[in-house]
Amino acid sequence: MTRSHALFILMLSTALPQMALAQAPEAQSGDADILVTGRAEKLYRATDTEIGRGSSDPLDIPQSVQVITSELIRDQGARDITDLYRNIAGISASQYATVTYRGFRQDGNFYDGMRGDPFQGFAVPSLFSIDRVEFLKGPVGMLYGASAPGGMINYVTKKPQDEFAASLRGIVGNYDRYGGSGEITGPIDKDGVLTGRAGAFYEHVATVQRNSGSESLVLDGGLTAHIGPDTKLTAQLTHYRQTLPGRQRGIPIDDDGNFLADRKWTHLEPTDFSKLNGTVAQARLDHKVSDAVSFNLAARWFRYREHQEYHEPRAYTDTNGDGTPDTVPREYRSQHYDVSGVTIAANMTARFETGPLRHTIAAGGDWYRQRYQLDSISVRSGVPALSLRNPVYGLTSGVDYDFSNGSGETLDTRSHRYGLYAQDQIDWGRFILVGGVRQDWFDDADPAAGDPKTSGSRTSWRTGAIYKPMQRVSLYASYSQSFEPQDPSRQSASVGGPFAPVASRQVEIGAKGELLGGKLQPTIALYRIVRRGIVQVDPDLPPINGVDQMSPIGEVTSKGIELTLAADITRNWVLTANYAYNDARITDSAPGAAIDNSVGGRFPNAPDHQAGFWTRYQIPAIDAAFAFGGQYVSGQLARSGAHMKGFTVFDGSVTKGLGFADLMIRIENIFDKTYATSAFDARRGAFVGRARTVFAELRVNL
């Protein structure tokens, strides 16, 4: 870590004066003022997004879209994606980087419209190098190929800017929280042909649970070459390093969702650890052929490596015979993950007219290959159990165990995805019609498991219509599809395979608008998603050679409603709010069979109701702003079948201009509520919600 810090300091000290000299004198002004004089649409509302394959106004996309802007990320002091869930209708926490999205569990994210997520498995995406986060709700197979039915999360990364800007931040808070960051961007030469960006972020923070916390380092840089007036090439390189004392699991809960131990309890020992190293390299060429035609060509490479050694809980037991679980047996695991992948993508946009019709054609394709490797070994012999009521830590560590009799697991999966798409958006007076199709091909293999394979192709469609009774009001309806290849282990002919991919389709209707000159921005969406073709053991088919036969007979239906609001109540007072209702359940299944990750006919970590709000009021006379927010999540099921209780938490902040800097003091979970955000299975319990945290952040903009 010392070497990385020294490298950043050298880089910053070298680049800062060069960039400052390169930019014109009139560009010296920064954005230090905390005051915002624009309306909500300029503060927390995006008026442009590329999530629909090409630059579009969200009002012209016939699906629900939410964009979390850099201003909202900054004002909420968000460090990773979990800090933002309260702002998104239809998304709630599941496990680590996975979320429940319109009732469906999903992981895997896109960056600048491309696959290549450097945070997989247990890691959670950092926001330091991210400018905004875009959410396209519902199936996106026509636009992005194989994907989960709930929707898509796209991280838009920070790029070099044409004007000079630099900032420094320092943070300190309870739970041993401290850290800082620095960023600089702007022209490198006097003509602005080359622009650059460099940044570094470091933060250490513990949690309410013992032997848990994180130490994170992000180094991020980019360079843009303006090859011509209509052509630019941008290259970016980002490195992530994360060290955790251990891999946090949950705390066991009873059937009513009550924790069976104090929230400070953990299954981890002080010597347990998890170390993540991730590197991403990305490049994109943008060229404008004419006012009507433009294209981009991009590539993204990443590698994610993680080494974990930690104590894993087993099923808890009652050792004193009083009917109450009091002890958790454990095993010790040593795991090495190595994941790498590369994406190549090309997109073209063309605009033209045919009579009264204005066409916007988007077409292109992408190619992606990933390798996922895991080497794991676990041992139970000699690993002591841990008391739930009076835990004693530090009596054992990994060096005390004999792995010669341990059980091992090896994975080496290979995934290959590629596809071509075309879409036409037709503007005709007050109407917008959208239609598109995509053809995908895929093949997956797992050589470490005897080389089971799955391969095939899939055609996905998307259609939609928008009617605008007013210029900034859209009433829309759409139909969209997506698919997910079956697990290679279920494609063998011995179990009745191969099987077609799991297919999803959605019907959505809704309304979006900007009323009162943009002061009021409401949205409403109603949807119904059907996911079918889920492979299960078929009790109506006799075993062949002693092997159960399977059929693609499982079906899940998710339906719900989502509402969002961004309001400019006064010139100095803004509000965002959201609410979502979702009902996801199994609607077809083999008798006596279960669908993966289900509990009876429902799904864990899928609340029926959730809501959130954030409001900010500024007082120009004292150069200060006050903010207050909250989140509500209704009761939900754990994978064990336990009923987790709903929760409501609040947070707030005060930001004060100091002339040379801004100071923000933020409090999360103001009333220090003890709650569970989501859950694993019975033995690994439920995740503990963040305890009351207080931190101060000093921001200096140069």
Side-chain angles (χ1 to χ4, degrees), residues 303-325:
R303 188 175 186 185
Y304 163 92
R305 289 172 290 178
E306 187 168 8
H307 177 202
Q308 304 175 4
E309 293 195 8
Y310 64 97
H311 289 78
E312 171 79 0
R314 307 302 306 168
Y316 49 81
T317 60
D318 175 15
T319 59
N320 58 19
D322 64 357
T324 303

Side-chain angles (χ1 to χ4, degrees), residues 22-337:
Q23 49 88 41
E26 61 269 22
Q28 292 286 348
S29 60
D31 58 353
D33 293 341
I34 64 170
L35 302 180
V36 179
T37 57
R39 289 194 164 86
E41 64 177 331
K42 295 182 180 179
L43 183 59
Y44 297 148
R45 181 80 169 188
T47 57
D48 184 78
T49 175
E50 289 193 1
I51 202 168
R53 292 293 197 187
S55 180
S56 300
D57 186 328
L59 292 179
D60 295 340
I61 298 176
Q63 275 181 256
S64 179
V65 177
Q66 263 188 274
V67 179
I68 302 299
T69 64
S70 58
E71 290 83 3
L72 185 56
I73 293 173
R74 178 199 62 200
D75 285 353
Q76 293 190 347
R79 294 302 194 269
D80 61 55
I81 187 61
T82 62
D83 296 324
L84 299 180
Y85 293 157
R86 69 181 59 194
N87 304 295
I88 309 300
I91 281 188
S92 58
S94 183
Q95 301 163 12
Y96 299 112
T98 65
V99 297
T100 299
Y101 206 150
R102 285 192 168 179
F104 297 97
R105 180 180 181 270
Q106 90 172 53
D107 55 10
N109 303 299
F110 288 74
Y111 288 76
D112 295 316
M114 294 184 289
R115 299 179 190 273
D117 187 2
F119 299 94
Q120 299 195 21
F122 299 110
V124 177
S126 167
L127 297 176
F128 172 69
S129 61
I130 301 303
D131 180 63
R132 66 181 186 271
V133 189
E134 303 174 326
F135 300 82
L136 181 59
K137 314 276 185 76
V140 296
M142 182 256 123
L143 295 169
Y144 294 97
S147 53
M152 171 196 179
I153 302 176
N154 181 51
Y155 294 87
V156 179
T157 60
K158 295 178 181 178
K159 313 292 194 306
Q161 300 298 302
D162 294 335
E163 294 188 2
F164 172 82
S167 66
L168 294 172
R169 297 187 182 187
I171 186 171
V172 63
N174 64 340
Y175 289 105
D176 199 24
R177 187 172 191 171
Y178 57 89
S181 65
E183 297 181 78
I184 181 171
T185 186
I188 295 177
D189 64 304
K190 293 184 178 180
D191 296 326
V193 175
L194 294 176
T195 58
R197 178 183 180 277
F201 168 88
Y202 171 80
E203 188 168 277
H204 174 280
V205 62
T207 76
V208 68
Q209 290 182 271
R210 299 182 180 95
N211 307 328
S212 298
S214 66
E215 185 179 41
S216 300
L217 173 70
V218 182
L219 300 175
D220 183 46
L223 183 67
T224 295
H226 297 268
I227 301 173
D230 298 315
T231 307
K232 67 177 181 179
L233 175 64
T234 300
Q236 298 167 261
L237 182 65
T238 308
H239 177 71
Y240 305 93
R241 183 181 300 174
Q242 188 179 76
T243 301
L244 296 87
R247 173 53 61 197
Q248 180 184 358
R249 292 289 195 267
I251 295 177
I253 57 176
D254 62 20
D255 291 342
D256 296 321
N258 299 303
F259 288 119
L260 296 177
D262 184 84
R263 66 176 177 176
K264 295 181 180 180
W265 185 92
T266 179
H267 57 87
L268 301 170
E269 293 291 338
T271 53
D272 293 356
F273 67 86
S274 177
K275 297 179 180 180
L276 158 70
N277 280 279
T279 303
V280 178
Q282 180 174 304
R284 171 166 162 163
L285 175 69
D286 289 273
H287 178 64
K288 184 178 178 182
V289 179
S290 65
D291 290 338
V293 180
S294 62
F295 73 87
N296 63 71
L297 176 64
R300 179 179 176 87
W301 171 88
F302 81 97
R303 188 175 186 185
Y304 163 92
R305 289 172 290 178
E306 187 168 8
H307 177 202
Q308 304 175 4
E309 293 195 8
Y310 64 97
H311 289 78
E312 171 79 0
R314 307 302 306 168
Y316 49 81
T317 60
D318 175 15
T319 59
N320 58 19
D322 64 357
T324 303
D326 54 41
T327 304
V328 175
R330 298 180 296 174
E331 65 181 40
Y332 190 76
R333 293 184 176 181
S334 177
Q335 299 178 326
H336 292 266
Y337 293 86

Side-chain angles (χ1 to χ4, degrees), residues 31-35 74 168-170 616 623 654-665 696-701:
D31 58 353
D33 293 341
I34 64 170
L35 302 180
R74 178 199 62 200
L168 294 172
R169 297 187 182 187
R616 182 178 188 270
D623 196 13
V654 177
T655 305
K656 179 70 175 70
L658 304 177
F660 69 96
D662 295 337
L663 175 65
M664 181 180 73
I665 299 175
E697 183 177 71
L698 186 67
R699 306 165 177 168
V700 180
N701 296 301

